[in-house]
Amino acid sequence: MIRHLLSTEDLGRDDALLVLDTAEYMATVADRSVKKLPTLRGRTVVNLFFEDSTRTRTSFEVAAKRLSADVINFSARGSSVSKGESLKDTALTLEAMGADVVVCRHPASGAPRRLAGWVRGSVVNAGDGTHEHPTQALLDAFTIRRRLGRLDGLSVTIVGDILHSRVARSNMWLLSTLGAAVTVVAPPTLVPVGIERWPVTVSYDLDAVLPKSDVVIVLRVQRERMTAAFFPTEREYTRRYGLDADRLAAMPASALVMHPGPMVRGMEIASDVADSTRSTAVEQVANGVSVRMAVLYLLLGGTREVA
Amino acid sequence: MTQRVDAAVRDPVDSGGRWLLRGVRPLGGAAVDMLLDGPVLAEIGPALSAPGATVLDADGLIALPGLVDLHTHLREPGREDAETVASGTRAAALGGFTTVFAMANTEPVADTAGVVEQVWRLGRTAGHCDVRPVGAVTEGLHGARLAELGAMASSAAAVRVFSDDGNCVSDAVLMRRALEYVKAFDGVIAQHAQEPRLTENAQLNEGVVSARLGLPGWPAAAEEAIIARDALLAGHVGSRLHVCHVSTAGSVEILRWAKSKGWRVTAEVTPHHLLLTDDLAASYDPVYKVNPPLRTAADVEALRAGLADGTIDCIATDHAPHAPQDKETEWAAARPGMVGLETALSIAIMVMVEPGLLDWAGLADRMAGAPSRIGGLPQASRDVAAALRPGAVANVVLLDPAARWTVDPHAFASRSRNTPYAGRSLPGRVQATFLRGRPTVLDGKIV
Ligand SMILES: [Zn+2]
């Protein structure tokens, strides 16, 4: 198993499948009356969050605690970090605390990779700028596999702000590694220059893609993009790229709708679509814990054979 | 191929005394002896005899005119923790330079006669190489009002090159006026070509790598659009435009077109843009963060070809020292720039001479003759053949073309270590540098 989880781009197929399979086992723990394994007793997991993300931080915290690890939440807000302490000094502090795993969320792309060069423990990227969010992609893949039974050969569409999305990047690498055919859909302004080297098909027409999609991953679109002239109005975005009931009806009956959250209801996804049985939003939360347990467990030297 | 002079017998007098350089190869040609007498290159010929002169065994060393860097950031005043005029000019001498043009983006900005004279005097005091201050085009580099260009030109520093480097003079009217105004004293505007709106928060060449790394892109068009605009303006008003650190294949094409019109447009390229590519950013190590950013292999190839055929006139280092805390950060927080004075000649040999794109005379022109012409240095230094003839000013660098050396940032004379070449083995080693006949470097070490 790899030492850090910094991106899905460099995650091989075997390692990715090992995470998913281990997560399956971890999911059974959640069904027990005592939802706890002694596996990581005495190990320290530090949640180092330079951006607020209660849901991701909580997910890692629950995952670590279910493995009996000690958890330290090191929030950038109100700490020495916000007073100008450098990432490097923070890393040295964590080192002194004896962190075995540092879970890092940071607004700057690549910050977890820099951190990995300064600490002895493992680093898990919990979302870095507009680069990657690998555990989100792993939990999405886990959710798809649980619902549809496979990933190989599926058609997965990612619609939304591809340019600024770390979820899009992590998902397209991971899902294509696992054999899915990925299509990204966005207004051309929100597709990065240089995308031609990604293992994806690019489309500007959601309606043309939906009937062939087994899974649609809907990305949040921040309203501030509008003011930067990426698209004219919210209404026009919703009309061309929003997932509403009519578009849901155009998808195959078994197709899934996924959203990494937080959603802007009425913008990229209609409320009734978000709440439909085709939406996986709720189980994604539970799956997130299982996948993050698997990641922490494997990074700290676990094998497939969980005690 | 080390020189064998006991330091104790050197003439300590500032005039340089008399130096007999035995067996040097001027511009890589046949071996001859060269006599430096005081500040003058006195004689060249076979088997010279010069009683009383210090003899330097320079067998096999190539003699080039002292190198000239049009684009150096010496950081003084303001950021003396990163570099000073003294440390930066020591680095320059070790790199074979006898003149550096010190960029204006200091703190305070070199936008008055007072600041440019201060920098000029610091250079004279340090004495390792000549420092020619560059004056800011606009007050405080803010791009709003012209700085007192005439006052800087008339000052003791005799400024001829003006630049807001670090910032682009993006206002078209202001740029036109600046180009026109400096004609009065044969000045030149050196433009940092970067359309600001297209590059807000830009971190890396916009393309395959930036898309993958999730770093905001710096499109080639943002450089090329400004170069095209400024070339048109320079042509229109008949002024001299110099383009700093050209980095894209498209820029080379635009420059070629502008020169074909007969317009007075010149350009420089940095060593790093001639060698390194944007995929190095995959490590997110800001040692590779520079502005303009590293581009693609196709750009590198076009830049080398442009430098070889003269479309790009010269190599300039854009030596940009930074303190460790400004580089040991996440990519976006790091300051852009690389040190370059001590590696420039070796990189140039590696990318231009070794592949046969330039011979030694061509290299000397790109690193000494052309920058002298653009920067308005004395007539004699503008032609590299003339610069090594008897009667010329004795600004000479002796280079061991066969030597290889491994870059150790901790051995730099520069106060900063932000080099992308740490651990790299590079060809060509400066053995000695003479500034007006006085050695500033001997045996590869500062005198
Ligand atoms: Zn610049």
Side-chain angles (χ1 to χ4, degrees), chain A residues 9 87-88 106 108-111 113-114 118 128 130-131 169 173 192-198, chain B residues 206-208 210-216 282-286 325 327-333:
Chain A
E9 185 185 356
L87 182 64
K88 185 174 180 181
H106 201 287
S109 299
R113 184 173 295 268
R114 295 290 282 156
W118 294 323
D128 62 329
T130 55
H131 175 225
R169 283 173 180 76
W173 291 118
V193 167
I195 199 172
E196 62 275 5
R197 294 276 196 86
W198 292 8
Chain B
E206 184 168 38
V208 169
S210 66
R212 196 157 58 82
L213 298 183
L215 290 170
S283 63
Y284 291 98
D285 184 343
Q325 68 270 20
K327 282 291 191 183
E328 289 188 343
T329 64
E330 52 276 27
W331 181 279

CSV table of all heavy atoms in Angstrom, one decimal, chain A residues 9 87-88 106 108-111 113-114 118 128 130-131 169 173 192-198, chain B residues 206-208 210-216 282-286 325 327-333:
chain,number,residue,atom,x,y,z
A,9,GLU,N,-4.7,10.2,-9.0
A,9,GLU,CA,-4.0,10.1,-10.3
A,9,GLU,C,-2.9,9.0,-10.2
A,9,GLU,O,-2.6,8.3,-11.1
A,9,GLU,CB,-3.4,11.4,-10.7
A,9,GLU,CG,-2.7,11.4,-12.1
A,9,GLU,CD,-2.0,12.7,-12.4
A,9,GLU,OE1,-2.1,13.7,-11.7
A,9,GLU,OE2,-1.4,12.7,-13.5
A,87,LEU,N,3.0,26.7,6.7
A,87,LEU,CA,2.7,25.3,6.6
A,87,LEU,C,3.8,24.5,7.2
A,87,LEU,O,3.6,23.4,7.8
A,87,LEU,CB,2.3,25.0,5.2
A,87,LEU,CG,1.9,23.6,4.9
A,87,LEU,CD1,0.6,23.3,5.6
A,87,LEU,CD2,1.7,23.4,3.4
A,88,LYS,N,5.0,24.9,6.9
A,88,LYS,CA,6.2,24.1,7.3
A,88,LYS,C,6.3,24.0,8.8
A,88,LYS,O,6.5,23.0,9.4
A,88,LYS,CB,7.4,24.7,6.7
A,88,LYS,CG,8.7,23.8,7.0
A,88,LYS,CD,9.9,24.2,6.3
A,88,LYS,CE,11.1,23.3,6.7
A,88,LYS,NZ,12.3,23.7,6.0
A,106,HIS,N,-6.8,21.9,2.6
A,106,HIS,CA,-6.1,23.2,2.4
A,106,HIS,C,-6.6,23.9,1.1
A,106,HIS,O,-6.9,23.2,0.1
A,106,HIS,CB,-4.6,22.9,2.2
A,106,HIS,CG,-3.7,24.1,2.5
A,106,HIS,ND1,-3.6,25.2,1.7
A,106,HIS,CD2,-2.9,24.4,3.6
A,106,HIS,CE1,-2.8,26.1,2.2
A,106,HIS,NE2,-2.4,25.6,3.4
A,108,ALA,N,-4.9,25.6,-0.9
A,108,ALA,CA,-3.9,25.7,-2.0
A,108,ALA,C,-3.6,24.3,-2.6
A,108,ALA,O,-3.3,23.4,-1.9
A,108,ALA,CB,-2.6,26.2,-1.4
A,109,SER,N,-3.7,24.2,-3.9
A,109,SER,CA,-3.4,23.0,-4.6
A,109,SER,C,-2.0,22.5,-4.2
A,109,SER,O,-1.1,23.4,-4.3
A,109,SER,CB,-3.6,23.2,-6.1
A,109,SER,OG,-4.9,23.5,-6.5
A,110,GLY,N,-1.8,21.3,-3.9
A,110,GLY,CA,-0.5,20.7,-3.7
A,110,GLY,C,0.0,20.9,-2.2
A,110,GLY,O,1.0,20.3,-1.9
A,111,ALA,N,-0.8,21.5,-1.4
A,111,ALA,CA,-0.3,21.7,0.0
A,111,ALA,C,-0.1,20.4,0.7
A,111,ALA,O,1.0,20.2,1.4
A,111,ALA,CB,-1.3,22.6,0.8
A,113,ARG,N,0.9,17.6,-0.6
A,113,ARG,CA,2.1,17.1,-1.1
A,113,ARG,C,3.4,17.7,-0.5
A,113,ARG,O,4.4,17.1,-0.1
A,113,ARG,CB,2.2,17.2,-2.6
A,113,ARG,CG,3.4,16.5,-3.2
A,113,ARG,CD,3.4,16.4,-4.7
A,113,ARG,NE,2.3,15.6,-5.2
A,113,ARG,CZ,2.4,14.3,-5.5
A,113,ARG,NH1,3.6,13.7,-5.4
A,113,ARG,NH2,1.4,13.7,-6.0
A,114,ARG,N,3.3,19.0,-0.3
A,114,ARG,CA,4.4,19.7,0.4
A,114,ARG,C,4.5,19.2,1.8
A,114,ARG,O,5.6,18.9,2.3
A,114,ARG,CB,4.1,21.2,0.4
A,114,ARG,CG,4.1,21.9,-0.9
A,114,ARG,CD,5.5,22.0,-1.6
A,114,ARG,NE,6.3,23.0,-1.0
A,114,ARG,CZ,7.7,23.0,-1.0
A,114,ARG,NH1,8.3,21.9,-1.5
A,114,ARG,NH2,8.4,24.0,-0.5
A,118,TRP,N,7.6,17.1,4.7
A,118,TRP,CA,8.1,17.7,5.9
A,118,TRP,C,7.7,16.8,7.2
A,118,TRP,O,8.1,17.1,8.3
A,118,TRP,CB,7.5,19.1,6.1
A,118,TRP,CG,8.0,20.1,5.1
A,118,TRP,CD1,9.3,20.2,4.6
A,118,TRP,CD2,7.3,21.1,4.5
A,118,TRP,NE1,9.3,21.2,3.7
A,118,TRP,CE2,8.1,21.8,3.6
A,118,TRP,CE3,5.9,21.6,4.6
A,118,TRP,CZ2,7.7,22.9,2.9
A,118,TRP,CZ3,5.6,22.7,3.9
A,118,TRP,CH2,6.4,23.3,3.0
A,128,ASP,N,-7.5,19.5,-1.7
A,128,ASP,CA,-6.5,20.6,-1.8
A,128,ASP,C,-6.8,21.5,-3.0
A,128,ASP,O,-6.7,21.1,-4.1
A,128,ASP,CB,-5.1,20.1,-1.9
A,128,ASP,CG,-4.8,19.2,-3.1
A,128,ASP,OD1,-5.7,18.5,-3.6
A,128,ASP,OD2,-3.6,19.2,-3.6
A,130,THR,N,-8.0,23.3,-6.0
A,130,THR,CA,-8.7,22.8,-7.1
A,130,THR,C,-8.0,21.6,-7.7
A,130,THR,O,-8.1,21.3,-8.9
A,130,THR,CB,-8.9,23.9,-8.2
A,130,THR,OG1,-7.6,24.4,-8.6
A,130,THR,CG2,-9.7,25.1,-7.7
A,131,HIS,N,-7.2,20.9,-6.9
A,131,HIS,CA,-6.5,19.8,-7.3
A,131,HIS,C,-7.2,18.5,-7.2
A,131,HIS,O,-7.8,18.0,-8.1
A,131,HIS,CB,-5.1,19.7,-6.6
A,131,HIS,CG,-4.3,18.6,-6.9
A,131,HIS,ND1,-3.6,17.8,-5.9
A,131,HIS,CD2,-4.0,18.0,-8.1
A,131,HIS,CE1,-2.9,16.9,-6.5
A,131,HIS,NE2,-3.1,16.9,-7.8
A,169,ARG,N,-11.6,16.1,-10.7
A,169,ARG,CA,-10.2,15.5,-11.0
A,169,ARG,C,-10.1,14.1,-10.4
A,169,ARG,O,-9.7,13.2,-11.0
A,169,ARG,CB,-9.1,16.5,-10.6
A,169,ARG,CG,-9.0,17.7,-11.5
A,169,ARG,CD,-8.0,18.7,-11.0
A,169,ARG,NE,-7.8,19.8,-11.9
A,169,ARG,CZ,-8.7,20.8,-12.0
A,169,ARG,NH1,-9.8,20.8,-11.4
A,169,ARG,NH2,-8.5,21.8,-12.9
A,173,TRP,N,-9.9,10.4,-12.6
A,173,TRP,CA,-8.7,9.5,-12.6
A,173,TRP,C,-9.1,8.2,-12.0
A,173,TRP,O,-8.8,7.1,-12.6
A,173,TRP,CB,-7.6,10.1,-11.7
A,173,TRP,CG,-6.9,11.3,-12.2
A,173,TRP,CD1,-6.9,12.6,-11.7
A,173,TRP,CD2,-6.1,11.4,-13.5
A,173,TRP,NE1,-6.1,13.4,-12.5
A,173,TRP,CE2,-5.7,12.8,-13.6
A,173,TRP,CE3,-5.8,10.5,-14.5
A,173,TRP,CZ2,-4.9,13.2,-14.6
A,173,TRP,CZ3,-5.0,11.0,-15.5
A,173,TRP,CH2,-4.6,12.3,-15.6
A,192,PRO,N,-11.2,23.0,-18.2
A,192,PRO,CA,-9.8,23.5,-18.3
A,192,PRO,C,-9.1,23.4,-19.6
A,192,PRO,O,-9.4,22.4,-20.3
A,192,PRO,CB,-9.0,22.7,-17.2
A,192,PRO,CG,-9.9,21.5,-17.0
A,192,PRO,CD,-11.3,21.9,-17.3
A,193,VAL,N,-8.4,24.4,-20.0
A,193,VAL,CA,-7.5,24.3,-21.1
A,193,VAL,C,-6.5,23.2,-20.8
A,193,VAL,O,-6.0,23.1,-19.7
A,193,VAL,CB,-6.7,25.6,-21.4
A,193,VAL,CG1,-5.5,25.4,-22.4
A,193,VAL,CG2,-7.7,26.7,-21.9
A,194,GLY,N,-6.3,22.2,-21.7
A,194,GLY,CA,-5.4,21.1,-21.4
A,194,GLY,C,-6.1,19.8,-21.0
A,194,GLY,O,-5.5,18.8,-20.7
A,195,ILE,N,-7.4,19.9,-21.1
A,195,ILE,CA,-8.2,18.7,-20.7
A,195,ILE,C,-8.1,17.6,-21.7
A,195,ILE,O,-8.3,16.4,-21.4
A,195,ILE,CB,-9.7,19.1,-20.5
A,195,ILE,CG1,-10.4,18.0,-19.6
A,195,ILE,CG2,-10.4,19.2,-21.8
A,195,ILE,CD1,-11.8,18.3,-19.2
A,196,GLU,N,-7.6,17.9,-22.9
A,196,GLU,CA,-7.5,16.9,-23.9
A,196,GLU,C,-6.6,15.7,-23.5
A,196,GLU,O,-6.7,14.6,-24.1
A,196,GLU,CB,-7.0,17.5,-25.2
A,196,GLU,CG,-5.6,18.1,-25.2
A,196,GLU,CD,-5.6,19.6,-24.7
A,196,GLU,OE1,-6.7,20.1,-24.3
A,196,GLU,OE2,-4.5,20.2,-24.8
A,197,ARG,N,-5.8,15.9,-22.5
A,197,ARG,CA,-4.9,14.8,-22.1
A,197,ARG,C,-5.6,14.0,-20.9
A,197,ARG,O,-5.0,13.0,-20.4
A,197,ARG,CB,-3.6,15.3,-21.6
A,197,ARG,CG,-2.8,15.9,-22.6
A,197,ARG,CD,-2.0,14.8,-23.4
A,197,ARG,NE,-0.9,15.5,-24.2
A,197,ARG,CZ,0.3,15.8,-23.6
A,197,ARG,NH1,0.6,15.4,-22.4
A,197,ARG,NH2,1.2,16.4,-24.4
A,198,TRP,N,-6.8,14.4,-20.5
A,198,TRP,CA,-7.4,13.6,-19.5
A,198,TRP,C,-8.1,12.4,-20.1
A,198,TRP,O,-8.6,12.5,-21.2
A,198,TRP,CB,-8.5,14.5,-18.7
A,198,TRP,CG,-7.9,15.6,-17.9
A,198,TRP,CD1,-6.6,16.0,-17.8
A,198,TRP,CD2,-8.6,16.4,-17.0
A,198,TRP,NE1,-6.5,17.0,-17.0
A,198,TRP,CE2,-7.7,17.3,-16.4
A,198,TRP,CE3,-10.0,16.5,-16.6
A,198,TRP,CZ2,-8.1,18.3,-15.5
A,198,TRP,CZ3,-10.3,17.5,-15.7
A,198,TRP,CH2,-9.4,18.4,-15.1
B,206,GLU,N,-0.7,27.9,-18.5
B,206,GLU,CA,-2.0,27.3,-18.7
B,206,GLU,C,-1.9,26.2,-19.8
B,206,GLU,O,-1.6,26.5,-21.0
B,206,GLU,CB,-3.0,28.3,-19.1
B,206,GLU,CG,-4.4,27.7,-19.2
B,206,GLU,CD,-5.5,28.7,-19.2
B,206,GLU,OE1,-5.4,29.8,-19.9
B,206,GLU,OE2,-6.6,28.5,-18.6
B,207,GLY,N,-2.2,25.0,-19.4
B,207,GLY,CA,-2.1,23.9,-20.4
B,207,GLY,C,-2.3,22.6,-19.7
B,207,GLY,O,-3.0,22.5,-18.6
B,208,VAL,N,-1.8,21.5,-20.2
B,208,VAL,CA,-2.0,20.2,-19.7
B,208,VAL,C,-1.6,20.1,-18.2
B,208,VAL,O,-2.3,19.5,-17.4
B,208,VAL,CB,-1.2,19.2,-20.6
B,208,VAL,CG1,-1.2,17.8,-19.9
B,208,VAL,CG2,-1.8,19.1,-22.0
B,210,SER,N,-1.1,22.5,-15.8
B,210,SER,CA,-1.9,23.3,-14.9
B,210,SER,C,-3.3,22.7,-14.7
B,210,SER,O,-3.9,22.7,-13.6
B,210,SER,CB,-2.1,24.7,-15.4
B,210,SER,OG,-2.8,24.8,-16.6
B,211,ALA,N,-3.9,22.1,-15.8
B,211,ALA,CA,-5.2,21.5,-15.7
B,211,ALA,C,-5.1,20.3,-14.7
B,211,ALA,O,-6.0,20.1,-13.8
B,211,ALA,CB,-5.7,21.0,-17.0
B,212,ARG,N,-4.1,19.5,-14.8
B,212,ARG,CA,-3.9,18.3,-14.0
B,212,ARG,C,-3.6,18.7,-12.5
B,212,ARG,O,-4.2,18.1,-11.6
B,212,ARG,CB,-2.7,17.5,-14.5
B,212,ARG,CG,-2.6,16.1,-14.0
B,212,ARG,CD,-1.8,15.3,-15.0
B,212,ARG,NE,-0.4,15.9,-15.2
B,212,ARG,CZ,0.6,15.6,-14.4
B,212,ARG,NH1,0.4,14.9,-13.3
B,212,ARG,NH2,1.8,16.1,-14.7
B,213,LEU,N,-2.8,19.7,-12.3
B,213,LEU,CA,-2.4,20.1,-11.0
B,213,LEU,C,-3.4,21.0,-10.3
B,213,LEU,O,-3.3,21.3,-9.1
B,213,LEU,CB,-1.0,20.8,-11.0
B,213,LEU,CG,0.1,19.9,-11.5
B,213,LEU,CD1,1.4,20.7,-11.4
B,213,LEU,CD2,0.2,18.6,-10.7
B,214,GLY,N,-4.4,21.5,-11.0
B,214,GLY,CA,-5.4,22.4,-10.4
B,214,GLY,C,-4.8,23.7,-10.0
B,214,GLY,O,-5.1,24.2,-8.9
B,215,LEU,N,-3.9,24.2,-10.8
B,215,LEU,CA,-3.3,25.5,-10.5
B,215,LEU,C,-3.8,26.5,-11.6
B,215,LEU,O,-3.8,26.2,-12.8
B,215,LEU,CB,-1.7,25.4,-10.6
B,215,LEU,CG,-1.1,24.7,-9.4
B,215,LEU,CD1,0.4,24.4,-9.7
B,215,LEU,CD2,-1.3,25.4,-8.1
B,216,PRO,N,-4.2,27.7,-11.2
B,216,PRO,CA,-4.7,28.7,-12.1
B,216,PRO,C,-3.7,29.0,-13.2
B,216,PRO,O,-2.5,29.2,-13.0
B,216,PRO,CB,-5.0,29.9,-11.3
B,216,PRO,CG,-5.2,29.4,-9.9
B,216,PRO,CD,-4.3,28.2,-9.8
B,282,ALA,N,5.0,19.4,-11.1
B,282,ALA,CA,4.2,18.3,-10.5
B,282,ALA,C,4.5,18.0,-9.1
B,282,ALA,O,3.7,17.5,-8.3
B,282,ALA,CB,4.4,17.0,-11.4
B,283,SER,N,5.7,18.4,-8.7
B,283,SER,CA,6.1,18.2,-7.3
B,283,SER,C,5.5,19.3,-6.4
B,283,SER,O,5.7,19.2,-5.2
B,283,SER,CB,7.6,18.2,-7.2
B,283,SER,OG,8.1,19.5,-7.6
B,284,TYR,N,5.0,20.3,-7.0
B,284,TYR,CA,4.5,21.5,-6.2
B,284,TYR,C,5.6,22.2,-5.5
B,284,TYR,O,5.4,22.9,-4.5
B,284,TYR,CB,3.3,21.1,-5.3
B,284,TYR,CG,2.0,20.8,-6.0
B,284,TYR,CD1,1.7,19.4,-6.1
B,284,TYR,CD2,1.2,21.7,-6.4
B,284,TYR,CE1,0.5,19.1,-6.7
B,284,TYR,CE2,0.0,21.4,-7.0
B,284,TYR,CZ,-0.4,20.1,-7.2
B,284,TYR,OH,-1.6,19.7,-7.8
B,285,ASP,N,6.8,21.9,-5.8
B,285,ASP,CA,8.0,22.6,-5.2
B,285,ASP,C,8.2,23.9,-5.8
B,285,ASP,O,8.5,24.0,-7.0
B,285,ASP,CB,9.2,21.7,-5.3
B,285,ASP,CG,10.4,22.3,-4.6
B,285,ASP,OD1,10.3,23.5,-4.2
B,285,ASP,OD2,11.4,21.6,-4.4
B,286,PRO,N,7.9,25.0,-5.0
B,286,PRO,CA,8.0,26.3,-5.6
B,286,PRO,C,9.4,26.8,-6.1
B,286,PRO,O,9.5,27.9,-6.6
B,286,PRO,CB,7.5,27.3,-4.5
B,286,PRO,CG,6.8,26.4,-3.5
B,286,PRO,CD,7.5,25.0,-3.6
B,325,GLN,N,11.9,31.3,3.6
B,325,GLN,CA,10.5,31.3,4.0
B,325,GLN,C,9.5,31.7,2.9
B,325,GLN,O,8.3,31.5,2.9
B,325,GLN,CB,10.2,32.2,5.2
B,325,GLN,CG,10.4,33.7,5.0
B,325,GLN,CD,11.8,34.2,5.3
B,325,GLN,OE1,12.7,33.4,5.2
B,325,GLN,NE2,11.9,35.5,5.5
B,327,LYS,N,9.9,30.6,-0.1
B,327,LYS,CA,9.9,29.4,-1.1
B,327,LYS,C,9.4,28.1,-0.4
B,327,LYS,O,8.9,27.2,-1.0
B,327,LYS,CB,11.3,29.2,-1.7
B,327,LYS,CG,11.6,30.2,-2.8
B,327,LYS,CD,10.7,29.9,-4.0
B,327,LYS,CE,11.2,30.7,-5.3
B,327,LYS,NZ,10.3,30.5,-6.4
B,328,GLU,N,9.7,28.0,0.9
B,328,GLU,CA,9.3,26.8,1.6
B,328,GLU,C,7.9,26.9,2.1
B,328,GLU,O,7.6,26.9,3.3
B,328,GLU,CB,10.3,26.5,2.8
B,328,GLU,CG,11.6,26.1,2.4
B,328,GLU,CD,12.5,25.7,3.5
B,328,GLU,OE1,12.2,26.0,4.7
B,328,GLU,OE2,13.6,25.1,3.2
B,329,THR,N,7.0,26.9,1.1
B,329,THR,CA,5.6,27.1,1.3
B,329,THR,C,4.8,26.2,0.3
B,329,THR,O,5.4,25.6,-0.5
B,329,THR,CB,5.2,28.6,1.1
B,329,THR,OG1,5.4,28.8,-0.3
B,329,THR,CG2,6.0,29.5,1.9
B,330,GLU,N,3.5,26.3,0.4
B,330,GLU,CA,2.7,25.8,-0.6
B,330,GLU,C,2.9,26.6,-1.9
B,330,GLU,O,3.3,27.8,-1.8
B,330,GLU,CB,1.2,25.7,-0.2
B,330,GLU,CG,0.6,27.0,0.3
B,330,GLU,CD,0.8,27.3,1.8
B,330,GLU,OE1,1.8,26.8,2.3
B,330,GLU,OE2,0.0,28.0,2.4
B,331,TRP,N,2.6,26.0,-3.0
B,331,TRP,CA,3.0,26.7,-4.3
B,331,TRP,C,2.4,28.1,-4.4
B,331,TRP,O,3.1,29.0,-4.8
B,331,TRP,CB,2.5,25.8,-5.5
B,331,TRP,CG,2.8,26.3,-6.8
B,331,TRP,CD1,2.1,27.3,-7.5
B,331,TRP,CD2,3.9,25.9,-7.7
B,331,TRP,NE1,2.7,27.5,-8.7
B,331,TRP,CE2,3.8,26.7,-8.8
B,331,TRP,CE3,4.9,25.0,-7.5
B,331,TRP,CZ2,4.7,26.6,-9.9
B,331,TRP,CZ3,5.8,24.9,-8.6
B,331,TRP,CH2,5.7,25.7,-9.7
B,332,ALA,N,1.1,28.2,-4.2
B,332,ALA,CA,0.4,29.5,-4.4
B,332,ALA,C,1.0,30.6,-3.5
B,332,ALA,O,1.0,31.8,-3.9
B,332,ALA,CB,-1.1,29.3,-4.2
B,333,ALA,N,1.5,30.2,-2.3
B,333,ALA,CA,2.0,31.2,-1.4
B,333,ALA,C,3.4,31.7,-1.7
B,333,ALA,O,3.9,32.7,-1.2
B,333,ALA,CB,1.9,30.7,0.0
